[in-house]
Amino acid sequence: MASSKSALVLCMDVGFSMSNSAPGEEPPFELAKKVMQKFVQRQVFAETKDELALVLFGTDRTKNSLQQDDQYQHISVHRHLMIPDFDLLEEIANQIQPENQQADWLDALVVCMDLLQKETKGKKYERLIIALLTDLSTQASSDNLDIIIENLKKAGITLQFFLPFPADEEDTISEAGDGGAPGHPGTGKGLSHEQQQGLDMVKHIMLSLDEEDGLEEVYSFRNALEQLYMFKRIERRPMAWPCQLTIGSSLPIRIVGYKAVTEEKLKKTWLNVDAQSNQKDDVKKETVFCLDDDNETEVQADDTIQGFRYGSDIVPFSKVDQDQMKYRHDGKCFAVLGFTKQSLIQRHQLMGNQVLKIFAPKDDEHAGIALSALIRALDQLNMAAILFHALKKDYECLLYIQLPFTEDLRQFTFPSLENKKFIPSEAQLSAVDSLIDSMMLVEEDENGEHKDMLKVHHIPNPAFQRHFQCLHHRAVSPGTPLPPMEPWLKGSLERPEVINQRCQAPLNELKKIFTLTEVEKKKTKKTSAQIFGKESEESDAKKAKKDEEDEEYNLADIAEGSVTSVGSVDPARDFCTLIRQKTLPFGDVCQQLTHRIEQLLSNKNTHYYMKSITCIQAFREQSVKLGNADLYNSYLQSLKRSIPSRGLEVFWDLLVQDRVTLISKDEVEGSLISKQEANQFLVAEEKEEEMVAPIAEDTGDVDDLLDMM
C-alpha cells in the first residue's frame, strides 16, 4: 500500500528586511510567522502523519550540511523532518525572532532540497513540498537557476511561495532605486528593484514547473492567512465495510459500505497530570471497591456485578445475564425485509448519526451487475428497500439511512394556532411573508440560478475551532488568560450583512402593523387587614412556609418521578413522596415503611442500622405534620420491647444518641404520651438494661401492629 504521508519543509526569511514596513502596516516578518504558526497548528490538530522540517535564512549563524568556503551562509536548519508537535509551536512563538543578516533565497531553496533528499531517502512519501516565505528583498544569483529547476522536477518536489504581495503585482520600481527601502503593496511605492527581479525569477521557476497552474502556488501572506485561519479537520481514510446483502433466502449480493456522512466527535484526550510538573507519570490513579461498613472492607472487582435501577429498586444483572440477553445472529447481517414506496418514508423518520454509501466490490463483476439492476429498479418504481434501515438511490450506489422503531417515535399534540379573538389581517400576513422572503438564505447568481448564501460545506464546527484555539494558546502561553474568539469565527456565526440590510424594511413594517400595548394587571380587592395594616407577621411567615412547601413538593415530583411503593434503595424518601402524593392511605404507607425497617434490622450491620434510623425519623416527621401520632408511637414502643430478644442493643444505642423518642401531646394534640413520658422513654431503657434480665422472645406485638395497620 502506498504511503499517504507527505514531507514538507517550511523555509522562512528572518533577515532584517523582513522587519521593514510602512507606517500603520504589519511587518512581513510578523505576517510570515503567523502563516507558519497557522499551518503548523492545522497539522498538529489534524493528527496527520505528515513530517515537517523548518529552515531559516537571514540568521546570524550558519547551520546546514552544505556550508563550506563561504557558501550557503546565514542559513540554519532549525528542525529536521519529524511529525509537528506543540514543542515546534512553542519554538515558533518564542524563539524565532528577526535577525540582522541577509541570505540568498535561492541558496536557502537548495538547502531545503538537500534536506529533503537526504532525510527521505529509503522512505516512501506521497508528496515532497517546499514552502518558501520571503519578501524577495535580497539579491539572488540566477547562475544555477536552470539546474535548480531541473532537480526540482527530477525529485518531484512541489514548490510554493508566500510573499507580502500577490504574484500579479504591477511591474513598478520604487523611486528609491537600488539603494531605497523595499516597497510595500498598497502604499503607492510599488516593488523595489530587488523584489521585481526576485518576482520575475519566481514566475520563471513556477511556470517552468507547471506552465498552466504554476502561479496558483504563489500566495500572498494575507491570502494564505484567510485560508489557514480555519483549523484543518482530522482526515479520515475511507474504511470499507464488507457485507452481504440478502433478498429472500436465495439472492445474496456482495457489497461494501463507506461512511458518506457521519457526526464528527471531538477527540478529547484529557489526562490527569500533576499541577506542578505537568507530567502524567507523576499521578497514579487506582480504583478500589469497598463495602460501606466501619472497616471499609475492600472488595475485588471480580466480586462485583452491575445493577439496573428500576424505579426505586436495583435489579442485579450479571455478565451471564447480559450475554443471554443479546441478540444472536450469524455474523454480519444486511437482510432486506421488504420494499415500500419512497413517498411513505417521511423526512422526519430518517435518523441515526451516519449515512452509508453501498457499492459492489470492485473485483466482483457479478455483484456489480446485480446491485446495479436493484438500484435502477428501485429508481424506476420509486421504491425503497427496508432492512433495519432505509435504502435510497443516489447515482450508482445505495444510501443506507436508519429508520425508527416504534419506541423511537414521538407523537406530540399541540393546540391550534387559530384564535378567534386575534385573527391576523391580510396586511399583517403580507408583512410576515415579506420578512420571511427577505431573510431567505439563497440568492440568484448571474445566470439566474439560486445558490446558498451560507456555504455549509465550508463552515467549520465552531466548537472544534474554539477548542483548538484555546489549546494552542495554553500550550505556547501558559498562565495567561485565554484569548477571545477570533473575529473570522465570530463573523461566520452571525447573520450575513446582506440579510441584515434586506430585512430592515419588513421589520419596520411589522413594528407599525403589530402594535404592542402594555396590559395592566387587574387590581385585586384589599381586605380590611391590608388597608389598616393589621396583618400579623405570623400570617406572613405561614404563607412563606406554605409557598416553600409547595415549591419543594413540585420540585420533588419532577426529580423523583412516579413512586408507587416504599422501595429498598431509599425507603425514607419513597415514604415521604407517597405521603405527599396522597395516593395511598396513611396507614398503608406506614405499614410499607415498617416492613422495610424490619427487613433492614434483620441485617445486623451499622449501615443498615443508620438507614433504619433515617426511616424512623421520616416516620416521626410525617406523623407530626399530619397530626397522627398513634401509629408511630405504637410501633416505636413495640420495637423497644423486642430489642433484647432480637439482639439489637447496638441499634438502640444509636437511636438513643440521635434522641429519637415518642411523639408527645405538646407536638400532636391527639397523642396519649405526655412530654415527661417521651423524655423518659429512652432514659428508662438504660436503667432497665442494668436491672432487668433478658425476657423471653416476644415479637407478637410487632406482628399485631402490622396487622392492625
Side-chain angles (χ1 to χ4, degrees), residues 253 360 365-379 393 395-398:
I253 303 174
E365 183 180 354
H366 297 290
I369 296 173
L371 189 64
S372 178
L374 175 62
I375 293 171
R376 298 185 183 209
L378 291 173
D379 180 45
K393 184 264 178 191
Y395 306 105
E396 276 291 305
C397 72
L398 296 172

Side-chain angles (χ1 to χ4, degrees), residues 47-64:
E47 301 178 10
T48 65
K49 294 183 179 180
D50 296 345
E51 295 180 5
L52 188 145
L54 178 58
V55 175
L56 305 176
F57 64 99
T59 56
D60 296 334
R61 65 170 185 165
T62 301
K63 183 184 176 183
N64 64 78

